[in-house]
Every structure is written in C-alpha cells, then in structure tokens.
Amino acid sequence: MKPYLLQTLKELALLGAIRNKIELSSHELAKQLETSQQTASRYLLELDTQQMITRELGVKKQLIQITSIGADLLENAYLSYKQIFDLSTKVAFKGKLISGMGEGKYYTEQKGYADQFKKQLGFVAHPGTFNVEIEYIERNKLRLLRNCGGILINEFQAENRTFGNVVCFKATINGYKGAIVLPKRSHYAIVLECISPYYLREKLGLHDGDEVEVIVYLQ
Amino acid sequence: MKPYLLQTLKELALLGAIRNKIELSSHELAKQLETSQQTASRYLLELDTQQMITRELGVKKQLIQITSIGADLLENAYLSYKQIFDLSTKVAFKGKLISGMGEGKYYTEQKGYADQFKKQLGFVAHPGTFNVEIEYIERNKLRLLRNCGGILINEFQAENRTFGNVVCFKATINGYKGAIVLPKRSHYAIVLECISPYYLREKLGLHDGDEVEVIVYLQ
DNA sequence: ATTACTAAGCAGCGAGTAA
DNA sequence: TTTACTCGCTGCTTAGTAA
C-alpha cells in the first residue's frame, strides 16, 4: 500500500466517504491534499483500480464512496495508532515456536506456582511452557512489558531452594487463552514463555520454527 | 509532511520509540517498511534533520527515540483516525464568519425557543446567531449531522404562526461553549448557525470573512 | 556487521491540453 | 466547468561501495 494512497483514503474518510457517497471534484481533493488537480485525479484512478473506492462520474463532479476493502485498510491503520497511544490495552508479538529444555515443565509443575496460576489467572496451566522466540525487529517491544506491572506470582520455598518472583500477563497465543510468564530477574529475555490451560502444540498443530502470534494484555 | 515519513514514524512508534530509545538498524527498519536499507537510512536521516527523532549512532546499531515534535505529528494523525471511526464523539468544521439578515435575532429572542435552549443546553443564548459558512470541501460532513439525532427543540405557536422543530448539537466555536441550531426542515444548509451564552463576535474579535472552527459534539 | 555516499535509473509530478 | 491524457522534468529509489 503506497503511503500517499492511504493518506488520500484518510482524507476521503474524513469527509464522510465511508458511510456515504460524497460529491467531490479532483480539484477540491487536490486543494485538500495540497497537490495538483492532475495528481489528485491520478490518486482517485489508482484507488479505483485497486477497488478501494467506487466512483460515479458525472458531468460536473464525481460521487465517491470507500469500499469495504478501503475501509479495512483504514481500520488497520487506525488500530496501529490505537496500539501506540492507547497502550493500556494490548501488545502484539510475532515470533516462532522453539523448544525449551524441559525446565518449563519442571517449574509449572511446582505446586507453589501452579496454585497461584490457578488463583490469579483463573486456569490450571498445562504442564510445560510454550516458548516463542520473538522476531528480532519486535524485541524492542519486550521492554514495554517490564514497565507495565502485570500479575505478580510470589516466590516460595520448596525442595530446599527458593523459586523466585514471577510476573504474568494474560495473553492469547494464536487466539487461544493463556498467559506469559516473565521471571522477575532475567533482564532481556527474547523468548516469551507462555502457559495455557491447553496443550498448545497439539491444539494449534504447530512445530518448532512455526510462526506464532502472541497478544499480551497489559492490564 | 511527506506521507512516507509519517509512515516511518508510525513504525518506530509501534516498536516503542515514543517512550524509550529503541535499538534498530537501518536494515531492520527496511525490512519492516518493505524497502531497501538505503532508503530506510535516508528516511532516518530526514526524520533526524526535521527533528522528529533523535539518534545515537553506535558501531553496530543506532538508538532511536521519537521527539515531542514527532509524537505530536503522530497524535494528530491518530486524532484524524479517531474522528473517522469513533464518530460518536465530535466533528470539526472550518468555515468563515458571515452576516445573517437579522432573522437569527428574531428567532433566538422568541421565548418559546429561548426557554428550551436554557433547559436543554444549560445556557441562556445571547440574542442572534453566529453564522459560519462551511468550507466547500467540508460540506459533505454536514450530512453526518442529519444522521445523528441531536437535541430536539420542539415547535410552538406564537405571534399567530408556528415556529418549527429545531435540532441542536452542543458545540464549541473557536473554543467557546455554544451550540449549533439546525432547522428540521432545511435540507442542505451550508451555514452552521451557532448560539452561545457569549456575544461571540466581540468575544472572539472577529469580522465577516474571518476563519472560524466549529467543533460539534454529536452526543 | 554497520551507516550513508554517489550515480543511474525510474516513478511520480504537474503544465498543457483534449474531450 | 469537469476528468484524465501526454510528456518533460524532478526527485525518490536502489545498486554499488567506502568507511
């Protein structure tokens, strides 16, 4: 999607073209976009070709309406901005499934953790963790999790050692309910350890290396 | 503001660059934007020149953070999208001040209207209307008002005639509290008639032809 | 590995204009 | 008035490459 076409679509939407047909000449659009009539005309042609708008050309003006394809594009852009500014809600991560070394199973089976998961998250975690290595480009986002509180799981003693504090966030993993688990200590993990009431590998039919989307709910 | 720079800024913001410095190479950004490393590098230079981001170049990566100038730009874009999709809130109109023919004064001084304004809008309207001729390009938006209910002011009898139903919306006129008044009949008015507790011409120090912004609250 | 320069090529812009 | 074509020119893009 060319940025200037999205921009144009946005202007059309601001004039009400999502809900109604609007009467608009290429000259008027040009003024709005601070460009030439020719360029505005070309933009409209491009949007039309890509089926983002419908047009009815009259002798004087044209009636323009944004199609559902165009509206979807705008909505996506909107959701991005929402993610930026209404940070309270959620953050999406993309990554790929990797194997742990069995330690996930060891920890999640500790009664001290399991009982708290049940109480704080509302589900009994399937033994083991579902580990998603976050894409390089998205690792910056991980920092956000460190600044956003989350659900505290308290440390406890068992088997002659201490199991440390852990922070959780509710999450969905490819749409399935679950949570992510962050050891309070480790600073720059690039892996999200997910727990869930389901055996996710089976439920999602995924193997090592497959793409996974994790949506983390920050509050 | 070049559209592709806004797009770039948005991607940076999605990676958390409004609140934190993020570590990002031009190559990574290029992948994200689906362009070449050179172009991504140039974008970053441009954003830097225009003081929309700050950069700290290291040997390996660069630390990037969005400045308040950049964040303001993004916020404006966000607010536009908000206006498109969260239509429930408000619509902004631009236009210029024009004179009526005294009929605004005649109507607003009718007790039948004045009492209802007081009751429904919570203020005593200054006699007369403040008339704003909406810019050509924005006239499409006027249609939205027709589909959005508003506050009904009932018709009444006086002086041997009927004063018809009127619909109001709360509004601000260049920031001052007021309302707009739409006769239920007239179909495609291109003038917003505003009322306000203040004598707006004086309060705003405006004359015929001056630019005015009217923000209409739809609910 | 980086960033970012130069140079060449190509996409997009708008003046002029036809319909 | 409109829309939208052609075409010359500008400026954006990217390959190659230096640092």
Side-chain angles (χ1 to χ4, degrees):
Chain A
M1 179 69 182
K2 294 170 187 169
Y4 59 81
L5 288 185
L6 188 65
Q7 183 113 326
T8 307
L9 217 49
K10 189 179 94 178
E11 289 300 332
L12 294 174
L14 279 170
L15 295 171
I18 286 190
R19 288 162 191 80
N20 312 289
K21 291 173 187 171
I22 61 166
E23 224 178 85
L24 189 72
S25 71
S26 55
H27 182 80
E28 283 161 18
L29 178 62
K31 256 197 304 182
Q32 197 71 3
L33 294 172
E34 300 184 333
T35 183
S36 68
Q37 174 272 322
Q38 292 90 332
T39 294
S41 177
R42 189 160 34 80
Y43 286 178
L44 288 174
L45 278 167
E46 278 188 66
L47 286 171
D48 198 353
T49 310
Q50 300 196 26
Q51 309 201 356
M52 291 174 193
I53 59 171
T54 59
R55 297 195 300 161
E56 294 168 33
L57 276 80
V59 203
K60 286 210 66 133
K61 305 228 166 161
Q62 40 188 316
L63 290 174
I64 298 171
Q65 184 158 22
I66 294 173
T67 65
S68 57
I69 298 175
D72 284 353
L73 267 162
L74 281 170
E75 192 160 358
N76 277 339
Y78 174 51
L79 292 177
S80 297
Y81 280 106
K82 218 168 166 147
Q83 201 174 114
I84 295 168
F85 290 103
D86 297 350
L87 249 195
S88 46
T89 46
K90 54 187 183 178
V91 189
F93 290 93
K94 281 206 172 136
K96 60 181 191 198
L97 178 55
I98 58 169
S99 290
M101 289 167 300
E103 78 289 13
K105 189 152 187 294
Y106 172 63
Y107 285 108
T108 52
E109 284 181 338
Q110 290 295 325
K111 197 169 178 314
Y113 282 136
D115 288 352
Q116 290 189 73
F117 289 156
K118 177 79 209 300
K119 192 170 166 204
Q120 303 275 355
L121 299 172
F123 62 80
V124 176
H126 186 278
T129 55
F130 182 89
N131 299 315
V132 181
E133 185 179 291
I134 302 306
E135 273 183 20
Y136 207 88
I137 190 87
E138 298 206 315
R139 290 180 189 172
N140 290 300
K141 288 191 205 170
L142 289 165
R143 205 181 313 238
L144 294 173
L145 299 180
R146 298 278 160 198
N147 306 329
C148 285
I151 299 160
L152 181 68
I153 303 293
N154 294 303
E155 64 178 16
F156 59 92
Q157 306 286 328
E159 299 185 1
N160 284 324
R161 54 162 287 195
T162 300
F163 290 84
N165 280 329
V166 166
V167 172
C168 293
F169 291 90
K170 290 189 179 179
T172 64
I173 300 94
N174 275 13
Y176 280 100
K177 184 173 80 171
I180 62 164
V181 180
L182 303 169
K184 194 78 177 172
R185 287 287 166 79
S186 76
H187 265 312
Y188 282 102
I190 55 165
V191 174
L192 286 186
E193 296 188 68
C194 307
I195 58 175
S196 166
Y198 314 110
Y199 179 42
L200 287 170
R201 272 182 187 262
E202 194 176 75
K203 197 94 179 174
L204 297 170
L206 294 178
H207 305 94
D208 278 11
D210 289 344
E211 272 243 330
V212 183
E213 186 182 52
V214 181
I215 296 173
V216 178
Y217 296 86
L218 295 177
Q219 302 230 357
Chain B
M1 180 68 183
K2 294 170 187 168
Y4 59 81
L5 288 185
L6 188 65
Q7 183 113 329
T8 307
L9 217 47
K10 188 180 96 178
E11 288 301 332
L12 293 174
L14 278 170
L15 295 171
I18 286 191
R19 287 160 192 83
N20 313 287
K21 291 172 187 170
I22 61 163
E23 227 177 83
L24 189 72
S25 70
S26 54
H27 181 81
E28 284 161 18
L29 178 61
K31 255 196 304 181
Q32 198 70 4
L33 294 172
E34 300 185 333
T35 183
S36 67
Q37 173 272 322
Q38 292 90 333
T39 293
S41 176
R42 188 162 35 80
Y43 286 179
L44 289 175
L45 278 168
E46 281 188 63
L47 287 172
D48 198 352
T49 310
Q50 300 196 24
Q51 309 202 358
M52 292 175 193
I53 60 170
T54 58
R55 298 195 300 161
E56 294 168 33
L57 276 82
V59 203
K60 288 212 65 134
K61 305 227 168 161
Q62 40 188 315
L63 290 174
I64 297 171
Q65 185 158 22
I66 294 173
T67 65
S68 57
I69 299 175
D72 284 352
L73 267 162
L74 281 169
E75 194 161 355
N76 277 339
Y78 174 52
L79 292 177
S80 297
Y81 280 105
K82 218 170 167 145
Q83 201 173 116
I84 294 169
F85 289 103
D86 296 351
L87 249 196
S88 45
T89 47
K90 54 187 183 178
V91 188
F93 290 93
K94 280 203 172 137
K96 62 182 187 195
L97 178 54
I98 58 167
S99 290
M101 290 167 297
E103 77 291 12
K105 190 156 186 294
Y106 172 65
Y107 286 108
T108 53
E109 284 181 337
Q110 290 294 326
K111 197 168 179 311
Y113 283 136
D115 288 352
Q116 290 189 72
F117 289 157
K118 176 78 209 301
K119 191 170 168 205
Q120 302 276 355
L121 300 171
F123 62 79
V124 176
H126 185 280
T129 55
F130 182 89
N131 300 315
V132 181
E133 184 178 292
I134 301 307
E135 274 183 20
Y136 206 88
I137 190 88
E138 298 205 316
R139 289 181 190 170
N140 290 300
K141 286 190 206 171
L142 289 165
R143 206 180 313 237
L144 295 173
L145 299 180
R146 299 276 159 199
N147 307 329
C148 284
I151 300 161
L152 182 67
I153 303 293
N154 293 304
E155 64 179 16
F156 61 92
Q157 305 287 327
E159 298 184 0
N160 286 324
R161 56 163 286 195
T162 301
F163 290 84
N165 279 329
V166 167
V167 172
C168 293
F169 291 92
K170 290 190 178 178
T172 64
I173 300 96
N174 274 15
Y176 281 100
K177 183 175 81 171
I180 62 165
V181 180
L182 302 170
K184 196 77 179 172
R185 289 285 166 81
S186 77
H187 264 315
Y188 280 103
I190 58 167
V191 173
L192 286 186
E193 297 187 68
C194 307
I195 57 176
S196 167
Y198 314 110
Y199 179 43
L200 287 170
R201 272 184 187 260
E202 193 177 75
K203 198 93 179 175
L204 297 170
L206 293 178
H207 304 93
D208 278 11
D210 289 344
E211 273 245 326
V212 183
E213 186 182 51
V214 180
I215 296 173
V216 178
Y217 296 86
L218 296 176
Q219 303 227 0

